[in-house]
Amino acid sequence: MVERMDIDMGHTDVDVAAASHFPPPGDEAFDMSHEGGEYEVFSEFAASLARSSVYTLIRHGYLGSAPLHPTVAISIRTLSLYWQAHRTCPRFSIEAQCKTLCHMHNVPYKQYLATQFRGAYDIYLEICRRVQTQIDAELGYNVPSHQVLSACPPCFHKLPDEPEQTFSCLVSMDGNNSLRRVGASVHNLVARTDSRLILSDRWVHPHEVDRFKDEVKASNKGARGKESQRDDDWEDIDAEEQVSSMNCVNRWRNAGPEERKKMFSMFDESGIFIASCRHRSVLFVCDMIKSGELAKYPLALTNRMIEMLGDKIGCAYDIGCAFSTTLKNSSLGESAEEHKFRLMCGSFHGHAHNRACQLKWLPLYIEGTGNTEGEGCEHIFSSSNELARGTRHATKFHRHQAIEEHFNFWNDDKYAALSLYISTHYKQAINSIQALSKELSIIQEGLGVGTANFHQYLNDEREYLHQLKEPPPETALKSQYIHTLNELSSYRKEWEAARIAANQLYVSPALPNSTFYDNIKAVRCRLDSAFAKLQNAETQACTLELSLHIEARWTESHPEYQQYHQESVLTSYRTALDELERLVVMRLFELTKMSNSGTGYKLRRHISKALQRRSEAIRNALSWYNTQAAWLVPPRPAIHWSDIASYSFLGEFDLLRQSRGDVQQQPWAQPAHREATVKYFKLCHAKEEIDRLNLEIRRLAASMQEEQDKVELCIKNLLTTNRPLAAEMQRWWMKRLAVNKVHKMRLAALKFLDGYMGI
């Protein structure tokens, strides 16, 4: 509810109709003369008048929109209501709230009303923050690391007698550019100076991030020398020793060269980079300033995690494979190794990594990760993206304030859902153990293999993929030369056929003039097209012969022709496979996008039509692939449409790229053995998940009990020293206690679950 201060104070001589046309805050001045010492006389009076008006408003439940002589006041209930509404609906802006109030009171909306409401809202949030600061100080929570370590008790509330874990905590980090902020220079304006800061302990300051801004360039010079022209430092492997299809860096934009990650200068902040725990609580945040996802951002957050979270951290990052070398070559390399900081790739992003990368970096093949998918940041971004509409053109302070309040709300919601997370994952792990144990026992009996075989299969596949090498450039040129000779032979036959058709036209029986001229035109087009193809192929063949220093053109009986012919066939086969993979991946992504809740009707129709076209294109690519696969020695088995759906990981295509026939006969390459291996590791991780959940249950229960003892004692002491603060702490504690009661109820219900293994 919006009220005029004068009306609220009983001044009935105010023109109510003109109330909405009063100037916005800051324009109302206290006019006085500075001559004869009048300023000194009235300064104390003005200050006391301002204080009395503000105090009067607050005592009546209102906050003024200006610090001195406010003409508009907002009720604290309205501010509190908007605070909670914005919590549940981040896209609900202050402008929308003001328009709602105007409609309720039949007042025309003016833009300055939103400015007045925002001023009062800033004061309200500052009061809430200062009250919370006093509560934290009384409880001993005013230490830099408390906000992070208390965000998720199951992850960070360590117990003295807990068993040793492979990872002390599991986190993930990633960047997002939805929360960009347009700079004032875009509109030819000068940014307003605002010294207010809202950065809490979870924020990593820009000057701390810039400590690592030259890490990538420095490591590049040190490792490859100044003469090196490569600017891509996200490489996790040496590209000269690795097959191109096994190189992950080329598949990821954020793993590309630093110089390509420049953002448009119109954005002062181009997004955020965050770290979260496995329960999806936000731990650390930093701004990405006028750039893309540079290496300095994950380096800065890695440094903060090592400092605050300690040893044995398992961190998932969508390009963890490439970032591992960047981290190793940086100034944090020794510290990360000393504290056993382990990088991995999230399960969702793992779909786009090659098979060699998956075997090393996916949580499925890393001991101690449980059922963690490593994609907590994606869940957070799905919610924080809603803030973009209200922060794109906001000031720096208001953008940070909106993000900070949103993450505070998010962490509160995640804390309230901790017991639900534990309960749900516990049930899923028990069901997985029961189902996979039965399936695996049947498969093992049918295949005649044991658990040791599954580890051996994994090691054999890793060893095979590690030995793959990219062919030398000369070999690739010779394969291309063979392919060009085959094309040249085909185009020469096509040219001869066109000449024969043209000659037959002139000796054929007489035809009507119209038909004869049409036939002449068709034959001429055929001759021109065939001759152009023949000339292009001849030119390309001559160019390759000069490059390879070939004096006499190879024929099919030539020894080197026979040597490189199969490599040429393999090149065509891989080209067909790449096209098939590309179309399948696009189909998978379009299916995912089509099922998203935020996808509109028109976009759904567009995607639906694209899927129809994509299905036909996939069928054509599949036919082309099967044709090329049949030319291999030995021939590769054909792929059917039903097989395409099973290739959910791109890594499965990497195995098809290899042409060695003996590979297909290896036990680890057999589909039945591969499926059994995946089931075995899923079973192992389900058991690990049970162990971790049992520990998290103990941590959460101990945290709740310790917190209750501390808070109740503190409230008891404050009742004799600071009753207002005691009342505020009691109000905060009642809400927290209600959430804890739900936690205790859910955790107690787990003990009656069939298959419960806790203590």
Side-chain angles (χ1 to χ4, degrees):
M1 180 172 62
V2 180
E3 296 286 350
R4 298 287 306 172
M5 186 189 74
D6 292 327
I7 299 175
D8 185 58
M9 297 298 294
H11 297 172
T12 57
D13 56 340
V14 177
D15 184 5
V16 179
S20 61
H21 302 284
F22 274 48
D27 291 347
E28 62 273 19
F30 193 89
D31 297 330
M32 60 182 68
S33 172
H34 288 241
E35 299 179 1
E38 292 179 348
Y39 179 80
E40 289 76 6
V41 173
F42 288 103
S43 60
E44 184 177 353
F45 169 73
S48 62
L49 180 61
R51 286 195 299 269
S52 63
S53 62
V54 172
Y55 292 158
T56 301
L57 286 171
I58 292 179
R59 293 185 64 181
H60 285 78
Y62 295 89
L63 280 176
S65 59
L68 297 176
H69 315 296
T71 58
V72 172
I74 317 295
S75 71
I76 294 178
R77 285 188 175 183
T78 300
L79 296 170
S80 178
L81 177 62
Y82 173 72
W83 190 40
Q84 297 299 331
H86 190 254
R87 171 179 185 169
T88 56
C89 183
R91 67 172 62 189
F92 185 60
S93 63
I94 286 179
E95 287 76 9
Q97 172 72 9
C98 291
K99 289 180 180 180
T100 301
L101 294 173
C102 288
H103 292 321
M104 290 176 61
H105 295 276
N106 296 322
V107 177
Y109 173 75
K110 302 291 183 179
Q111 188 172 359
Y112 65 78
L113 293 175
T115 305
Q116 294 171 336
F117 190 96
R118 185 175 289 107
Y121 186 61
D122 291 345
I123 298 172
Y124 172 77
L125 293 180
E126 182 63 24
I127 293 174
C128 292
R129 281 191 290 268
R130 295 195 180 190
V131 171
Q132 189 61 45
T133 300
Q134 294 186 47
I135 293 176
D136 292 342
E138 292 293 334
L139 293 172
Y141 293 165
N142 55 342
V143 292
S145 60
H146 177 266
Q147 185 181 35
V148 174
L149 297 181
S150 64
C152 184
C155 285
F156 307 118
H157 189 81
K158 306 295 177 60
L159 302 176
D161 59 340
E162 65 182 32
E164 188 70 18
Q165 297 288 315
T166 306
F167 296 107
S168 63
C169 61
L170 293 166
V171 300
S172 61
M173 60 181 178
D174 200 3
N176 180 269
N177 59 7
S178 293
L179 296 180
R180 298 187 293 259
R181 186 178 70 89
V182 178
S185 59
V186 175
H187 305 289
N188 295 324
L189 300 175
V190 178
R192 186 182 66 183
T193 303
D194 192 341
S195 60
R196 292 178 293 177
L197 292 176
I198 203 65
L199 301 182
S200 63
D201 295 336
R202 72 165 61 96
W203 283 84
V204 181
H205 199 275
H207 71 75
E208 184 177 347
V209 174
D210 287 338
R211 283 178 48 199
F212 305 96
K213 66 180 180 180
D214 296 323
E215 293 285 337
V216 170
K217 295 179 181 178
S219 66
N220 191 30
K221 292 179 181 179
R224 302 186 176 100
K226 294 182 180 180
E227 71 278 7
S228 175
Q229 299 298 319
R230 290 188 59 186
D231 54 2
D232 190 342
D233 292 276
W234 291 89
E235 288 281 7
D236 55 333
I237 46 181
D238 192 343
E240 295 178 357
E241 299 181 358
Q242 190 70 19
V243 178
S244 59
S245 63
M246 295 297 173
N247 190 343
C248 269
V249 174
N250 296 330
R251 300 190 181 195
W252 295 96
R253 180 175 59 185
N254 57 348
E258 301 288 284
E259 286 77 4
R260 299 179 189 171
K261 300 176 186 175
K262 305 304 180 185
M263 207 58 153
F264 293 115
S265 59
M266 64 180 295
F267 297 113
D268 284 351
E269 290 87 24
S270 52
I272 58 174
F273 197 94
I274 70 171
S276 68
C277 72
R278 90 183 200 111
H279 301 93
R280 302 163 192 168
S281 294
V282 180
L283 303 179
F284 303 106
V285 190
C286 71
D287 279 321
M288 296 193 295
I289 300 176
K290 294 185 177 181
S291 69
E293 199 168 310
L294 301 178
K296 65 179 181 179
Y297 302 118
L299 285 173
L301 264 64
T302 298
N303 179 55
R304 182 68 71 89
M305 283 189 282
I306 292 175
E307 289 179 351
M308 286 195 176
L309 305 184
D311 301 340
K312 297 183 179 180
I313 302 172
C315 180
Y317 185 24
D318 55 4
I319 53 169
C321 53
F323 179 64
S324 62
T325 298
T326 303
L327 177 62
K328 182 179 180 180
N329 294 333
S330 71
S331 58
L332 294 175
E334 294 183 2
S335 177
E337 184 177 359
E338 179 183 353
H339 290 84
K340 300 179 181 179
F341 186 85
R342 176 65 159 94
L343 282 162
M344 59 190 78
C345 297
S347 299
F348 173 77
H349 291 91
H351 285 263
H353 285 259
N354 59 65
R355 184 60 180 171
C357 180
Q358 291 173 10
L359 295 178
K360 184 176 181 180
W361 301 102
L362 273 188
L364 179 64
Y365 303 109
I366 299 176
E367 183 181 357
T369 57
N371 287 339
T372 302
E373 82 281 2
E375 299 291 353
C377 294
E378 302 302 326
H379 296 272
I380 297 170
F381 292 145
S382 67
S383 176
S384 65
N385 289 344
E386 302 292 333
L387 285 173
R389 182 178 298 180
T391 58
R392 185 63 49 84
H393 299 279
T395 64
K396 183 176 182 179
F397 167 77
H398 285 115
R399 174 181 174 272
H400 275 157
Q401 179 174 262
I403 296 174
E404 177 69 12
E405 289 299 320
H406 175 75
F407 285 155
N408 286 337
F409 292 151
W410 174 269
N411 282 2
D412 288 344
D413 291 342
K414 294 300 108 179
Y415 177 84
L418 281 176
S419 58
L420 180 62
Y421 179 98
I422 293 174
S423 177
T424 302
H425 280 242
Y426 211 110
K427 295 175 183 177
Q428 291 176 351
I430 290 176
N431 293 336
S432 296
I433 292 174
Q434 294 174 350
L436 290 173
S437 297
K438 295 179 181 178
E439 293 177 8
L440 201 58
S441 62
I442 297 174
I443 294 175
Q444 286 181 275
E445 183 179 355
L447 297 177
V449 297
T451 56
N453 295 101
F454 299 130
H455 292 278
Q456 186 62 41
Y457 294 159
L458 205 62
N459 293 332
D460 291 344
E461 186 175 3
R462 285 171 176 165
E463 182 65 21
Y464 171 77
L465 295 175
H466 179 71
Q467 293 176 354
L468 292 177
K469 306 293 182 182
E470 187 75 19
E474 184 179 357
T475 301
L477 283 176
K478 289 181 178 179
S479 300
Q480 184 180 357
Y481 178 59
I482 297 296
H483 180 72
T484 302
L485 291 180
N486 292 335
E487 286 187 339
L488 183 62
S489 175
S490 175
Y491 293 151
R492 184 173 286 111
K493 292 178 181 179
E494 184 178 342
W495 159 248
E496 292 294 338
R499 288 182 57 194
I500 293 174
N503 293 333
Q504 289 178 349
L505 180 64
Y506 288 101
V507 298
S508 60
L511 295 173
N513 289 340
S514 59
T515 304
F516 180 76
Y517 289 135
D518 290 342
N519 291 343
I520 287 290
K521 185 177 180 181
V523 167
R524 186 183 297 276
C525 290
R526 182 180 176 184
L527 282 171
D528 292 343
S529 176
F531 184 74
K533 293 179 181 179
L534 181 62
Q535 288 294 100
N536 290 336
E538 184 69 34
T539 302
Q540 188 175 1
C542 292
T543 303
L544 290 172
E545 288 170 351
L546 289 174
S547 300
L548 296 171
H549 305 288
I550 298 175
E551 296 181 358
R553 181 162 294 178
W554 295 352
T555 61
E556 294 184 2
S557 60
H558 197 282
E560 287 190 281
Y561 181 95
Q562 298 174 358
Q563 178 182 354
Y564 292 102
H565 174 69
Q566 187 60 26
E567 187 67 29
S568 175
V569 173
L570 180 60
T571 301
S572 301
Y573 166 78
R574 286 173 175 168
T575 302
L577 181 61
D578 289 341
E579 177 65 12
L580 179 61
E581 178 188 22
R582 182 184 69 84
L583 293 172
V584 169
V585 172
M586 293 177 66
R587 179 176 179 271
L588 290 174
F589 285 168
E590 286 166 345
L591 286 171
T592 303
K593 179 64 177 175
M594 193 172 182
S595 63
N596 288 348
S597 60
T599 306
Y601 172 75
K602 290 185 178 180
L603 183 56
R604 289 180 188 273
R605 289 287 302 275
H606 177 75
I607 293 176
S608 178
K609 293 180 180 178
L611 283 173
Q612 295 176 5
R613 295 191 299 268
R614 193 85 61 219
S615 297
E616 184 63 27
I618 290 176
R619 281 177 166 58
N620 295 335
L622 192 59
S623 176
W624 181 32
Y625 166 82
N626 289 331
T627 301
Q628 298 299 324
W631 285 96
L632 294 177
V633 180
R636 186 62 52 84
I639 297 179
H640 303 286
W641 176 261
S642 58
D643 300 326
I644 293 297
S646 64
Y647 293 133
S648 57
F649 280 86
L650 299 189
E652 299 295 336
F653 284 94
D654 294 330
L655 185 60
L656 293 176
R657 284 191 177 87
Q658 314 314 320
S659 63
R660 286 171 46 186
D662 58 331
V663 174
Q664 301 300 317
Q665 306 303 321
Q666 295 294 325
W668 59 264
Q670 300 298 318
H673 290 176
R674 294 172 67 83
E675 182 180 358
T677 303
V678 172
K679 289 182 181 295
Y680 168 74
F681 282 102
K682 285 185 176 180
L683 176 60
C684 293
H685 283 288
K687 294 178 180 179
E688 292 175 356
E689 182 74 7
I690 291 293
D691 293 338
R692 179 167 287 275
L693 290 173
N694 287 333
L695 178 59
E696 291 178 350
I697 290 172
R698 293 179 56 199
R699 287 178 176 179
L700 181 57
S703 171
M704 291 188 295
Q705 187 60 47
E706 292 177 13
E707 184 181 41
Q708 182 172 352
D709 295 340
K710 180 182 289 188
V711 172
E712 290 180 351
L713 178 60
C714 189
I715 292 175
K716 182 179 179 181
N717 295 334
L718 284 176
L719 286 174
T720 59
T721 59
N722 192 339
R723 295 184 66 86
L725 186 59
E728 190 63 28
M729 186 181 292
Q730 181 71 29
R731 184 190 65 82
W732 166 81
W733 175 240
M734 291 303 295
K735 181 174 66 174
R736 184 81 163 190
L737 188 60
V739 173
N740 289 346
K741 287 181 178 179
V742 175
H743 288 335
K744 293 178 180 179
M745 179 186 67
R746 286 174 178 161
L747 297 183
L750 281 177
K751 298 179 180 179
F752 302 98
L753 189 65
D754 185 21
Y756 177 72
M757 305 176 189
I759 56 174

